[in-house]
Amino acid sequence: MARMAYADLDALDEETKAILATRRSPGGNIFKMIANAGKVTGPYLTYGTELRKHLAIDILIYEFAIVRVANLSRSAYVARQHEQFLRKNGVDEDKILALRMRPGLKYFSEAELAAIRFAEEVVLDVKVSDETFALAQKHYTEEQLMHLMLSTCHYMLACRIAETFEVDLQPAQPE
């Protein structure tokens, strides 16, 4: 059970409601919790929306990084939401399960693994190692690396919100 009450989404201003409507699951418990932030709810949601809308990296690479961040952050809520997206987009269950452990080349290409390791090291070490950075630079442009960093950090925050406020898991969406 959540540590605080969920905000009433109907009480949000029209601009924030419009921003929320662009999300995959606009009525999600995480959004109801974030809506307790008052006037900064809209700008926070806009950041995530704009990042995803103008994403310079492949959507599956983005999702692999998010799921790895969620698993490292021990956030069942975020992991579940994004694993569902991967399943709906045809990602093999073994690949999804590998994201719960230290993924290797058995399931991921070198490019995918470079992005996953990049996100992993941001979470665990703050600074990405020279080795991982060089591998990531081999596969991604500067803009793509920055999008990967911004996405990783954005979801680190989402995971911490979900876990600190004990946001309730929602039933899995039908596949």
Side-chain angles (χ1 to χ4, degrees):
M1 187 167 159
R3 288 177 151 179
M4 320 191 314
Y6 294 107
D8 177 5
L9 298 181
D10 292 330
L12 295 173
D13 61 76
E14 292 306 314
E15 185 179 344
T16 303
K17 284 182 190 176
I19 294 165
L20 193 54
T22 67
R23 306 307 297 210
R24 268 190 249 154
S25 49
N29 288 341
I30 190 82
F31 300 122
K32 293 178 193 174
M33 188 58 71
I34 291 168
N36 282 312
K39 293 185 184 292
V40 299
T41 301
Y44 174 78
L45 295 175
T46 297
Y47 173 75
T49 300
E50 288 300 309
L51 184 59
R52 187 180 165 103
K53 186 165 62 172
H54 302 288
L55 201 58
I57 57 175
D58 177 81
I59 190 68
L60 290 180
I61 299 286
Y62 168 82
E63 292 290 336
F64 292 156
I66 292 169
V67 172
R68 188 66 184 136
V69 168
N71 284 304
L72 290 169
S73 300
R74 297 178 305 280
S75 181
Y77 184 95
V78 174
R80 180 189 222 177
Q81 297 300 112
H82 291 272
E83 285 177 355
Q84 240 180 288
F85 178 85
L86 291 173
R87 285 184 189 96
K88 285 180 183 176
N89 285 276
V91 174
D92 183 87
E93 196 64 29
D94 287 338
K95 223 172 190 177
I96 294 169
L97 292 174
L99 290 167
R100 295 181 186 170
M101 298 169 261
R102 185 156 171 87
L105 283 171
K106 178 177 180 184
Y107 298 106
F108 298 95
S109 69
E110 184 180 78
E112 291 169 337
L113 198 55
I116 293 165
R117 291 268 160 79
F118 186 99
E120 185 175 273
E121 289 182 21
V122 169
V123 174
L124 297 175
D125 304 324
V126 180
K127 182 180 179 182
V128 173
S129 69
D130 290 343
E131 179 184 344
T132 298
F133 197 84
L135 182 61
Q137 278 187 309
K138 178 178 162 186
H139 296 282
Y140 302 102
T141 66
E142 290 174 352
E143 181 183 19
Q144 289 172 319
L145 287 174
M146 190 53 69
H147 282 218
L148 181 58
M149 175 62 89
L150 292 171
S151 301
T152 297
C153 294
H154 181 67
Y155 277 92
M156 286 174 66
L157 177 56
C159 290
R160 281 141 183 83
I161 290 168
E163 294 311 306
T164 296
F165 294 100
E166 297 181 1
V167 173
D168 297 303
L169 283 170
Q170 293 160 229
Q173 303 274 333
E175 309 247 341

